[in-house]
Amino acid sequence: MPLPAALQAKLSKRGIIKSHGENPEEEIIAENYDDQLLPRNESNDKSDAASTQTSATTLSVRVAPGCPNKWNIFHECTKFCFERWGEGKRTPDANDERKRIKMVQKYPVPKKLG
């Protein structure tokens, strides 16, 4: 923000400012770090449709469906995640299903109104 003309003249007279006609460059306080949030395999060229297509497939390949950390945006599934968690559980445990049925009987889901 430039100084008012009267203040700038007074400061230049006292020698605090070098010259009153010179416009100093603005100081950069914050920088844009958006490029650092992109995945490592994704290219920064977003105009190319092919790169967008490959980046979408890259993102889907990096996540193991059964991994408990798949919702963590900073987690990248490794070989361990694919081997340990794989596709996840396809059928619930018998004990979990029994508890679910008991809960639904105790706290029934209300029917739609209207």
Side-chain angles (χ1 to χ4, degrees), residues 3 13 19 25 33 44 52-53 58 60 71 74 83 86-87 89 94 97-98 100 103 111:
L3 295 173
K13 184 177 178 183
S19 68
E25 290 186 28
Y33 296 106
N44 290 338
T52 307
Q53 183 69 14
T58 305
S60 64
W71 302 113
F74 300 107
E83 291 174 357
E87 294 296 319
K89 293 182 179 180
E97 185 64 19
R98 182 184 54 80
R100 186 189 70 80
M103 182 185 68
K111 294 183 181 184

Side-chain angles (χ1 to χ4, degrees), residues 4-97:
L7 178 60
Q8 197 169 18
K10 187 183 277 189
L11 292 176
S12 64
K13 184 177 178 183
R14 292 183 183 176
I16 297 174
I17 296 178
K18 300 292 184 215
S19 68
H20 62 281
E22 183 180 320
N23 289 333
E25 290 186 28
E26 291 186 20
E27 180 181 356
I28 298 175
I29 295 173
E31 293 182 13
N32 186 0
Y33 296 106
D34 289 343
D35 293 341
Q36 294 177 358
L37 297 177
L38 295 175
R40 294 181 196 132
N41 297 341
E42 184 177 346
S43 66
N44 290 338
D45 182 23
K46 293 180 180 155
S47 63
D48 188 29
S51 68
T52 307
Q53 183 69 14
T54 57
S55 66
T57 57
T58 305
L59 290 174
S60 64
V61 171
R62 289 188 347 194
V63 178
C67 181
N69 293 320
K70 67 182 173 185
W71 302 113
N72 183 350
I73 60 172
F74 300 107
H75 175 73
E76 292 184 16
C77 287
T78 59
K79 184 179 176 184
F80 172 79
C81 294
F82 287 100
E83 291 174 357
R84 172 69 173 96
W85 306 111
E87 294 296 319
K89 293 182 179 180
R90 292 294 176 191
T91 57
D93 291 339
N95 193 25
D96 291 340
E97 185 64 19

